[in-house]
């Protein structure tokens, strides 16, 4: 059901932009205003989320890590898994962000024929996620050629490496193949396994449809329904320099691509995709385990209002005296 | 304890990276879209301007396959002309200057076609 709903909403978005551009001729809205609004929501929304997280106090370090903490000199210290310094924690976060180490530890649980629960290594999700994220990053960086003239040389090198196999014309990029295959796997995985299907929600399928839509429309735009990319660059540079111009004849496919990117950007801060910012704020990853080395004071501790014995004695002086109990201060 | 300094530094890096095109264009203004000169002695190309702008590479690719692999050397274009399928003889008969015609847009978009790995750029030509 959630799958159908996500597909319906996604198809509605595509129909909306096709009607808007082909029917109502709202190129200005879809070409200029929506991209600005989407980037605004993306940047503002993510900053709001991060600031909100940042306002939560960090009372102590959470040492739920897999490695041996820094201890006596003859006990080997796991520097990456259980770092004692900020630098070590930064390295741990970097490895998490760049190589998804936590996901590498992913396991699967299965019942055997004789109803025994066994756990096994499960690396496909890690491999699929890693392939998708890196391909997406390279594609994102490649798009920089639309935003700067002259194009930085690095972009040319990346394009050259990406199109290394020189298959087809225009050259088929390896990342285009990888991103579609990886997204297809990530979607198929949710559909193929009954247990995974059971707890997959619309919020899981919808981002996958959006990403598949963005990647798919981009691939179609490059290889099948082409557009004049000099005009695309004119639009992109105009937007980036806040002197927007709207070139003629960009074609419906281009607007579908652009609108799906806008939808993805605007959806970002309100969805699971916020893990882009959240991964940097994972307390079990980004805090060095220094609980024993130095004192961490809980910032939400209320000020302790003491009531000393001397004050208590003063309060009940008469009663204590009447009961014949000796007083400290007569 | 709060990590306000680190949060703000992270947000600054995020803004720096995400809005890189904006900073780039604020510092170095991007050159405008190149306008290529159209030839004066010939009114029609082998297809409409819109098709040529978007898909000229596919036309050349089909021509290459027809000439090199099938030995067919002439074709009738959608505009009704019979032309020799040749980059240097047909295309560059009108668009004679590689630097001013081909390279203008290809450089603008960091496209590096492999045409000139086999073809020799006509020398001393200009239109």
């Amino acid at each position: 059901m959630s799958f159908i709903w996500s597909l319906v909403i996604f198809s509605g978005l595509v129909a909306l932009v096709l009607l808007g551009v082909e029917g109502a001729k709202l190129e200005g809205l879809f070409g200029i205003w929506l991209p600005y609004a989407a980037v605004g929501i993306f940047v503002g929304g993510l900053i709001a989320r991060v600031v909100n997280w940042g306002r939560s106090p960090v009372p102590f370090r959470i040492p739920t890590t897999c490695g041996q903490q820094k201890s006596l000199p003859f006990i080997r210290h796991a520097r990456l898994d259980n770092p004692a310094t900020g630098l070590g924690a930064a390295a741990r976060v970097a490895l998490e962000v760049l190589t998804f180490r936590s996901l590498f530890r992913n396991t699967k649980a299965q019942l055997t024929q004789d109803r025994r629960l066994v756990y096994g290594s499960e690396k496909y999700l890690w491999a699929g996620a890693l392939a998708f994220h890196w391909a997406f990053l390279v594609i994102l960086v490649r798009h920089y050629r639309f935003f700067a003239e002259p194009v930085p040389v690095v972009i040319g090198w990346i394009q050259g490496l990406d199109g290394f196999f020189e298959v087809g014309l225009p050259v088929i990029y390896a990342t285009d193949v990888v991103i579609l295959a990886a997204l297809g796997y990530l979607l198929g995985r949710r559909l193929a396994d009954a247990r995974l299907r059971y707890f997959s929600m619309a919020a899981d399928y919808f981002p996958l449809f959006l990403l598949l839509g963005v990647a798919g429309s981009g691939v179609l735009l490059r290889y099948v329904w082409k557009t004049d990319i000099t005009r695309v660059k004119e639009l992109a540079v105009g937007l980036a320099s806040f002197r927007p111009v709207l070139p003629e004849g960009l074609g419906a496919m281009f607007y579908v691509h652009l609108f799906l990117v806008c939808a993805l950007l605007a959806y970002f801060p309100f969805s699971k995709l916020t893990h882009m910012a959240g991964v940097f704020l994972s307390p079990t990853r980004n805090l060095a385990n220094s609980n024993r080395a130095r004192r961490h004071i809980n910032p939400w501790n209320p000020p302790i209002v003491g009531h000393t014995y001397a004050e208590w004695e003063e309060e009940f002086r008469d009663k204590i005296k009447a009961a014949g109990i000796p007083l400290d201060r007569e | 304890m709060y990590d306000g300094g680190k949060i703000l530094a992270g947000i600054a890096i995020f803004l720096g990276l995400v809005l890189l095109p904006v900073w780039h264009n604020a510092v170095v203004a991007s050159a405008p879209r190149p306008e290529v000169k159209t030839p004066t002695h010939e009114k029609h190309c082998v297809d409409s301007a819109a098709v040529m702008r978007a898909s000229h590479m596919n036309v050349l690719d089909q021509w290459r396959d027809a000439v090199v692999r099938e030995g067919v050397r002439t074709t009738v274009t959608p505009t009704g002309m019979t032309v020799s399928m040749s980059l240097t003889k047909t295309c560059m008969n009108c668009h004679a200057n590689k630097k001013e015609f081909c390279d203008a847009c290809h450089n603008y978009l960091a496209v590096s076609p492999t045409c000139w790995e086999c073809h020799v750029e006509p020398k001393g030509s200009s239109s």
Side-chain angles (χ1 to χ4, degrees), chain A residues 49-59 281 299-300, chain B residues 1-4 7:
Chain A
R49 302 264 328 219
V50 169
V51 167
N52 187 30
W53 291 327
R55 278 142 72 117
S56 311
V58 186
L281 279 90
W300 70 68
Chain B
M1 140 190 163
Y2 296 86
D3 281 325
I7 296 280

Side-chain angles (χ1 to χ4, degrees), chain A residues 77-83 88 91-92 95 101 285:
Chain A
H77 173 210
R79 283 173 199 283
L80 270 179
D81 267 326
N82 204 341
R92 182 168 65 179
L95 273 173
R101 275 176 97 220
R285 301 288 99 191

Side-chain angles (χ1 to χ4, degrees), chain A residues 13-325:
Chain A
L13 286 177
V14 176
L16 185 76
V17 60
L18 285 176
L19 282 176
V21 173
E22 292 286 285
K25 302 284 169 213
L26 292 170
E27 277 99 343
L29 176 70
F30 285 100
I32 293 171
W33 295 111
L34 279 180
Y36 275 136
V39 172
I41 293 172
F42 173 71
V43 172
L46 271 189
I47 288 178
R49 302 264 328 219
V50 169
V51 167
N52 187 30
W53 291 327
R55 278 142 72 117
S56 311
V58 186
F60 56 90
R61 305 308 173 88
I62 307 170
T64 54
T65 55
C66 305
Q68 166 66 45
Q69 74 167 307
K70 188 172 164 58
S71 181
L72 298 167
F74 56 85
I75 299 173
R76 188 186 283 173
H77 173 210
R79 283 173 199 283
L80 270 179
D81 267 326
N82 204 341
T85 60
L87 196 66
R92 182 168 65 179
V93 172
L95 273 173
E96 183 64 40
V97 171
L98 300 174
T99 66
F100 309 169
R101 275 176 97 220
S102 301
L103 200 53
F104 192 70
R105 301 199 182 100
N106 189 35
T107 53
K108 62 175 174 209
Q110 268 179 329
L111 278 177
T112 57
Q113 293 288 321
D114 50 343
R115 299 198 60 74
R116 223 160 31 90
L117 185 63
V118 290
Y119 293 92
S121 168
E122 167 75 61
K123 299 281 183 259
Y124 294 114
L125 177 59
W126 169 79
L130 203 64
F132 158 68
H133 280 86
W134 276 102
F136 200 25
L137 178 67
V138 172
I139 289 171
L140 203 68
V141 171
R142 274 206 336 255
H143 275 70
Y144 202 74
R145 72 173 173 145
F146 291 113
F147 290 97
E149 169 59 29
V151 181
V153 266
V154 191
I155 306 297
W157 298 341
I158 294 173
Q159 289 186 149
L161 272 179
D162 205 349
F164 179 78
F165 296 105
E166 295 195 2
V167 178
L169 194 101
V171 169
I172 292 171
Y173 285 131
T175 47
D176 285 354
V177 179
V178 169
I179 197 170
L180 287 179
L183 282 170
Y185 166 71
L186 292 174
L187 182 62
R189 149 182 179 276
R190 287 192 179 275
L191 294 174
D193 185 345
R195 284 172 297 176
L196 222 58
R197 207 163 51 235
Y198 178 72
F199 64 61
S200 290
M201 298 189 293
D204 296 314
Y205 290 119
F206 186 60
L208 281 172
F209 283 131
L210 270 183
L211 287 164
L212 270 169
V214 167
S217 61
V219 164
L220 288 176
L221 203 53
R222 179 173 167 84
Y223 305 104
V224 187
W225 292 307
K226 294 175 203 294
T227 184
D228 177 6
I229 52 174
T230 57
R231 280 155 207 256
V232 172
K233 181 157 183 174
E234 192 180 22
L235 175 72
V237 167
L239 287 174
S241 53
F242 296 104
R243 280 185 294 273
V245 279
L246 194 67
E248 292 282 310
L250 287 172
M253 200 62 214
F254 170 74
Y255 282 104
V256 170
H257 185 60
L258 184 65
F259 181 64
L260 288 178
V261 172
C262 291
L264 184 69
L265 285 176
Y267 179 62
F268 224 94
F270 309 101
S271 64
K272 65 191 273 195
L273 301 173
T274 322
H275 72 266
M276 181 184 106
V279 66
F280 292 98
L281 279 90
S282 318
T284 60
R285 301 288 99 191
N286 66 8
L287 295 173
N289 184 3
S290 57
N291 277 336
R292 300 196 175 184
R294 60 184 199 84
R295 186 172 180 216
H296 298 273
I297 293 164
N298 186 347
W300 70 68
N301 276 348
I304 294 166
V305 186
H307 198 57
T308 61
Y309 178 75
E311 285 163 355
W312 180 83
E313 192 185 78
E314 206 55 42
E315 196 180 334
F316 297 102
R317 172 170 290 277
D318 302 340
K319 293 186 172 70
I320 298 170
K321 213 168 198 168
I325 299 167

Side-chain angles (χ1 to χ4, degrees), chain B residues 26-88:
Chain B
V27 177
V28 195
S30 288
R33 175 163 67 94
E35 285 289 347
V36 290
K37 273 182 274 176
T38 42
T40 45
H41 62 277
E42 181 64 68
K43 283 277 163 252
H44 296 288
C45 197
V46 296
D47 209 328
S48 69
V51 171
M52 291 314 286
R53 279 196 203 107
S55 308
H56 60 275
M57 71 295 285
N58 293 94
V59 174
L60 288 169
D61 195 36
Q62 285 155 14
W63 284 14
R64 191 270 318 266
D65 287 359
V67 172
V68 177
R69 299 183 188 164
E70 289 152 32
V72 182
R73 293 201 168 261
T74 55
T75 185
V76 179
T77 67
T79 47
M81 295 184 289
T82 306
V83 295
S84 160
M85 290 189 278
S86 165
L87 171 66
T88 37

